[in-house]
Amino acid sequence: MSTERTFAMIKPDGVRRRLVGELIARIEAKGYDVVALKRMEIPRETAETHYGEHRDKPFFSGLVDFITSGPVVAMVLEGEDAIAGWRTMMGATNPADAAPGTIRGDFATTIDENVAHGSDAPETARREIDLFFPELG
Ligand code: IDP
Ligand code: MG
């Protein structure tokens, strides 16, 4: 058990569909603290850096188009094992595989618009928090 910080984001589809309150309610009900939050439009260059691991994938440009298609809500969550815990709350990347009760299981049907993002490991969390919230450094 350890207190961790992770980077979480409500993607443009989640903001467009007015799921911000619902998702933050789930985060707080679970027991994580929202220690930083901003609604923002992601500059294309930041999006390309954020998703840099997928640069060579066929869906990369569509993914960057989507994530820059409207405002997102970027957050830093803090709590016990928050990195893996937030991933569990989101559910599988492909909503078709995401269990009911998870965010993607409950609110999404397609992999390209799957509502939420979460860091996948401690090193990723550090990098993503630094990219979106350099002022916390
Ligand atoms: P994650 O968001 O669960 O960490 P990643 O594999 O890191 O999943 O992929 C990042 C994002 O890229 C996914 O959330 C999804 O929106 C999108 N994505 C992943 N694989 C595909 C695909 O095969 N087609 C279209 N979009 C994809
Ligand atoms: Mg990922």
Side-chain angles (χ1 to χ4, degrees), residues 34-51:
V34 180
V35 298
L37 179 149
K38 62 184 161 198
R39 186 182 195 269
M40 61 182 287
E41 294 195 23
I42 306 180
R44 193 164 184 95
E45 195 181 331
T46 303
E48 289 173 350
T49 300
H50 174 67
Y51 281 126

Side-chain angles (χ1 to χ4, degrees), residues 11 51 53-54 59 63 87 93 104 111-112 114:
K11 295 183 180 185
Y51 281 126
E53 65 173 306
H54 299 303
F59 59 81
L63 175 59
R87 296 279 302 186
T93 301
R104 288 158 168 175
I111 193 167
D112 47 325
N114 60 4

Side-chain angles (χ1 to χ4, degrees), residues 17 22 26 90 95 98-109 115:
R17 292 169 57 199
E22 167 80 33
R26 287 185 179 213
M90 289 197 301
T102 66
I103 288 162
R104 288 158 168 175
D106 288 352
F107 297 117
T109 58
V115 180

Side-chain angles (χ1 to χ4, degrees), residues 12-93:
D13 56 330
V15 174
R16 275 194 283 272
R17 292 169 57 199
R18 300 187 172 85
L19 295 173
V20 174
E22 167 80 33
L23 298 196
I24 292 175
R26 287 185 179 213
I27 288 164
E28 293 195 315
K30 171 72 174 173
Y32 300 137
D33 291 321
V34 180
V35 298
L37 179 149
K38 62 184 161 198
R39 186 182 195 269
M40 61 182 287
E41 294 195 23
I42 306 180
R44 193 164 184 95
E45 195 181 331
T46 303
E48 289 173 350
T49 300
H50 174 67
Y51 281 126
E53 65 173 306
H54 299 303
R55 197 172 290 274
D56 298 328
K57 308 258 174 68
F59 59 81
F60 180 71
S61 65
L63 175 59
V64 172
D65 287 346
F66 165 64
I67 210 71
T68 59
S69 68
V72 303
V73 172
M75 292 175 279
V76 178
L77 311 184
E78 186 176 278
E80 289 295 321
D81 296 317
I83 297 169
W86 172 238
R87 296 279 302 186
T88 300
M89 287 180 69
M90 289 197 301
T93 301

